[in-house]
């Protein structure tokens, strides 16, 4: 890229503060947080637990999932504090776990194996969901209304385990393309260590992407109140189609996906800037993935993705001319009250990943006439990760089991009701509410869970009933795994 640097302002102040400040945490502490962030996924496991399960208070659950449709849908993850297996956030979680390993697996050292196990737990499930019935993708197990009414351990669950699917007749391009992205990204992770599994993941991804692309429609329209308002696809499906194609291209190097991106990019949202990244909206992250294509393969058509990635990154940097993001007085990126930390972990992951891509290219981000270096992006991400881990006005960690002070009344059925090992008798749907209402700390530590987080004034109530603050979710943790791995290795 030829560009005049005349008149460019470098963000020197931010760089200096990086060099001179002492870190709030040691690399051992980041490693501890990495270990715990992965361990959390064991608490969310559905299905038959393996002998090496480390979170011991959990047991087997939902062993007949899929049987109502005569298919095997045992396994996968519960999304958050309930016991439904929601396909869209599960696929997104899988994509982000895989991307975390792809970019920062080198920094994970002894945790790499555990991270790959966490990924495989959901990629195995997604393969089942995509191959059980040809032309169909199963996208949810569990009836959300009856599930949410109950406060029940997954091991006791007796609410309907309805099975929901998308197909040519009932399209779901959003959930299917996200599933393709997840399988494609996972295939990259297992390329060397398990080539035949990797091949199967990629082949399944191709089929699911075809389903998503050929039969267009939103799963919110096909499935209605079963997925909305829980994981309604508010942003539509174009963002997932482009994101899916980007991962298909990265995993397969197949030029057909490149032409797909080149011919569909404009209509699929590459022109608008959007400043959030979540299980619903993939636009910002797609641009970052495609910017890598511009850096590495000199695909000139992709220069616009570098520009859009810059715009996204600039929106996050306080003081940059294009700054858009809101921060709490304590410095936390603040998007919204409900489950805000999901936006903090996704944006921190993108900052670090883009910093890595810029570094490999010797480049920088352009924010108006200012230059922002990769170090600035790292500083910004580090502030956010440190805030989550305890460098904040409440002086508490938002990760369960990390540090001296952390959330104790997490909005999570399995964690708040006594373990089946301590209390083997059934605790029914209604009987569980006494544990929900209790002021006592949860009896089972959901180690590593990052909760929704504090409000816009850095206050946190540690209140089980305020799920906006106290509920953990797999998609909050998944990008954190990569981000904290980066700091554990630096
Ligand atoms: C619940 O959490 C939200 C989001 O952080 C916050 O704005 C609200 O004040 C909390 N409600 C109570 C009753 O604490």
């Amino acid at each position: 890229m030829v560009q005049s640097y005349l008149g460019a302002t470098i963000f020197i102040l931010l760089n200096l503060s990086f060099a001179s400040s002492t870190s709030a945490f040691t690399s051992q502490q980041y490693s501890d947080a990495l270990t715990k962030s992965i361990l959390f996924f064991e608490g969310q496991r559905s299905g038959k637990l393996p002998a090496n399960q480390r979170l011991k208070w959990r047991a087997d659950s939902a062993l007949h999932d899929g049987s109502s449709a005569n298919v095997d849908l045992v396994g996968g993850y519960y999304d958050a504090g309930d016991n439904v297996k929601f396909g869209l956030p599960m696929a997104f979680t899988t994509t982000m776990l895989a991307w975390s390993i792809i970019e920062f697996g080198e920094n994970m050292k002894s945790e790499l194996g555990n991270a790959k196990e966490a990924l495989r737990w959901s990629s195995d499930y997604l393969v089942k969901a995509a191959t059980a019935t040809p032309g169909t993708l199963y996208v949810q197990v569990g009836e959300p209304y009856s599930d949410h009414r109950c406060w029940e351990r997954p091991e006791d669950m007796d609410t309907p385990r309805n099975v929901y699917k998308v197909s040519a007749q009932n399209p779901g391009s959003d959930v299917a393309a996200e599933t393709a992205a997840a399988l494609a990204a996972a295939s990259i992770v297992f390329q060397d260590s398990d080539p035949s599994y990797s091949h199967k993941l990629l082949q399944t991804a191709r089929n699911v992407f075809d389903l998503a692309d050929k039969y267009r429609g939103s799963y919110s329209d096909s499935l209605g109140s079963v997925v909305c308002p829980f994981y309604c696809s508010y942003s539509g499906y174009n963002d997932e189609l482009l994101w899916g194609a980007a991962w298909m291209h990265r995993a397969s190097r197949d030029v057909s996906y490149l032409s797909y991106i080149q011919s569909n990019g404009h209509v699929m949202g590459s022109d608008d800037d959007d400043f959030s990244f979540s299980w619903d909206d993939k636009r910002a992250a797609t641009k970052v993935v495609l910017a890598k294509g511009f850096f590495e393969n000199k695909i000139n058509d992709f220069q616009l993705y570098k520009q859009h990635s810059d715009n996204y990154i600039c929106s996050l940097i306080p003081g940059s001319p294009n700054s858009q993001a809101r921060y709490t007085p304590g410095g936390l990126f603040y998007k919204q009250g409900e489950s805000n930390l999901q936006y903090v972990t996704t944006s921190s992951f993108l900052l670090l990943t883009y910093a890595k891509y810029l570094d490999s290219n010797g480049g920088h981000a352009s924010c108006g006439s200012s230059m922002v270096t990769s170090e600035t992006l790292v500083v910004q991400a580090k502030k956010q990760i440190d805030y989550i881990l305890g460098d904040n006005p409440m002086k508490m960690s938002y990760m369960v089991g990390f540090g001296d002070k952390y959330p104790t009344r997490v909005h999570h059925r399995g964690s708040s009701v006594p373990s089946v090992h301590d209390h083997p008798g059934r605790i029914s749907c209604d009987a569980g509410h006494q544990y929900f209402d209790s002021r006592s700390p949860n009896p089972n530590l959901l180690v590593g869970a990052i909760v929704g987080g504090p409000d816009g004034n850095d206050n946190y109530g540690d209140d089980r009933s305020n799920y906006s603050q106290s509920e953990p979710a797999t998609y909050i943790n998944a990008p954190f795994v990569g981000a904290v791995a980066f700091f554990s290795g630096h």
Side-chain angles (χ1 to χ4, degrees):
M1 188 176 56
V2 181
Q3 187 181 315
S4 165
Y5 293 172
L6 285 177
T9 329
I10 305 180
F11 275 57
I12 294 171
L13 283 176
L14 287 163
N15 287 335
L16 281 180
S17 70
F18 181 61
S20 61
S21 68
T22 52
S23 180
F25 298 99
T26 64
S27 66
Q28 285 83 350
Q29 286 171 311
Y30 292 119
S31 298
D32 182 35
L34 171 64
T35 301
K36 288 170 176 165
S37 68
I38 298 168
L39 196 49
F40 157 74
F41 287 92
E42 294 196 7
Q44 299 302 112
R45 281 176 170 175
S46 182
K48 175 129 194 70
L49 302 186
N52 63 2
Q53 166 85 10
R54 295 171 297 164
L55 226 54
K56 297 290 187 195
W57 51 266
R58 284 292 324 280
D60 298 348
S61 63
L63 296 179
H64 305 290
D65 275 4
S67 60
S68 65
N70 286 314
V71 291
D72 170 12
L73 295 175
V74 176
Y77 288 120
Y78 304 119
D79 65 307
D82 57 277
N83 302 325
V84 179
K85 297 195 295 201
F86 286 105
L88 183 56
M90 203 199 303
F92 176 68
T93 295
T94 308
T95 310
M96 294 311 295
L97 272 176
W99 200 7
S100 286
I101 298 169
I102 291 166
E103 301 300 344
F104 304 111
E106 277 176 11
N107 304 106
M108 292 182 187
K109 303 190 192 84
S110 61
E111 285 300 328
L112 180 59
N114 289 325
K116 286 165 82 173
E117 280 307 303
L119 170 61
R120 198 186 272 256
W121 193 268
S122 52
S123 58
D124 278 352
Y125 174 82
L126 294 178
V127 169
K128 284 185 184 183
T131 57
T133 308
T136 296
L137 174 67
Y138 290 94
V139 299
Q140 186 165 318
V141 185
E143 202 286 300
Y145 295 91
S146 49
D147 180 279
H148 283 84
R149 270 196 299 275
C150 288
W151 198 258
E152 219 171 14
R153 304 176 289 204
E155 293 83 357
D156 282 338
M157 203 163 37
D158 51 3
T159 50
R161 298 301 283 174
N162 298 357
V163 164
Y164 303 95
K165 63 186 182 195
V166 298
S167 62
Q169 294 75 36
N170 290 293
S173 303
D174 26 36
V175 65
E178 182 63 63
T179 302
L183 294 166
S187 81
I188 298 173
V189 170
F190 293 106
Q191 219 150 38
D192 295 333
S193 56
D194 193 343
S196 70
Y197 185 56
S198 170
H199 183 262
K200 180 172 149 188
L201 292 170
L202 187 56
Q203 192 49 49
T204 309
R206 283 182 197 279
N207 297 338
V208 182
F209 186 80
D210 285 349
L211 177 72
D213 188 43
K214 275 205 195 109
Y215 306 102
R216 294 206 187 171
S218 169
Y219 92 141
S220 301
D221 294 328
S222 298
L223 295 172
S225 64
V226 165
V227 297
C228 294
F230 308 97
Y231 291 101
C232 209
S233 180
Y234 299 101
S235 70
Y237 56 79
N238 278 330
D239 60 317
E240 276 91 7
L241 283 174
L242 197 63
W243 167 245
W247 279 106
M248 291 306 302
H249 178 247
R250 186 156 167 186
S252 69
R253 297 280 150 211
D254 185 333
V255 291
S256 69
Y257 295 111
L258 182 59
S259 356
Y260 184 96
I261 295 162
Q262 285 167 327
S263 43
N264 294 299
H266 290 284
V267 283
M268 289 183 175
S270 66
D271 292 339
D272 22 290
D273 280 319
D274 185 85
F275 299 117
S276 71
F277 173 36
S278 71
W279 55 264
D280 182 30
D281 191 340
K282 319 297 154 54
R283 285 175 287 180
T286 304
K287 287 154 190 164
V288 171
V289 173
L290 295 177
K292 182 180 163 65
F294 168 69
F295 292 143
E296 283 182 0
N297 309 321
K298 302 291 166 239
I299 305 169
N300 274 324
D301 291 20
F302 284 9
Q303 175 155 1
L304 93 145
Y305 296 113
K306 198 270 178 191
Q307 282 154 9
H308 282 289
S309 298
D310 283 6
N311 293 348
Y312 170 74
I313 292 301
C314 299
S315 80
L316 296 172
I317 303 293
S320 127
N322 320 52
S323 172
Q324 297 242 348
R326 256 179 77 196
Y327 288 87
T328 65
L332 179 68
F333 176 49
Y334 195 76
K335 170 93 184 157
Q336 63 175 44
E338 190 167 330
S339 193
N340 181 61
L341 288 184
Q342 68 180 304
Y343 301 102
V344 179
T345 61
T346 54
S347 58
S348 299
F349 180 87
L350 289 185
L351 282 164
L352 295 170
T353 298
Y354 199 55
K356 181 181 165 188
Y357 296 171
L358 288 173
D359 266 349
S360 67
N361 184 52
H364 61 269
S366 302
C367 299
S369 60
S370 305
M371 250 171 72
V372 172
T373 64
S374 62
E375 287 79 11
T376 303
L377 309 192
V378 172
V379 169
Q380 186 56 27
K382 185 169 187 295
K383 280 188 192 154
Q384 301 303 308
I385 298 303
D386 287 354
Y387 185 111
I388 291 175
L389 292 178
D391 191 11
N392 59 53
M394 291 288 290
K395 304 259 177 282
M396 68 180 286
S397 141
Y398 289 101
M399 175 188 274
V400 175
F402 183 85
D404 303 328
K405 190 181 169 201
Y406 48 78
T408 66
R409 300 185 197 95
V410 173
H411 182 99
H412 190 276
R413 287 162 180 73
S415 168
S416 63
V417 178
S419 160
V420 288
H421 301 304
D422 301 328
H423 190 299
R426 269 189 69 72
I427 300 171
S428 71
C429 167
D430 290 330
H433 282 105
Q434 62 178 297
Y435 301 103
F436 176 74
D437 295 332
S438 152
R439 290 294 297 159
S440 305
N442 287 9
N444 313 307
L445 216 53
L446 186 61
V447 177
I450 299 172
V451 296
D455 68 15
N457 287 312
D458 303 294
N459 295 315
Y460 184 75
D462 202 12
D463 173 359
R464 195 177 293 116
S465 69
N466 197 348
Y467 59 85
S468 293
Q469 292 195 343
S470 65
E471 190 168 14
T474 56
Y475 45 88
I476 305 179
N477 268 60
F480 184 89
V481 168
V484 81
F486 173 87
F487 292 112
S488 73
H490 279 78

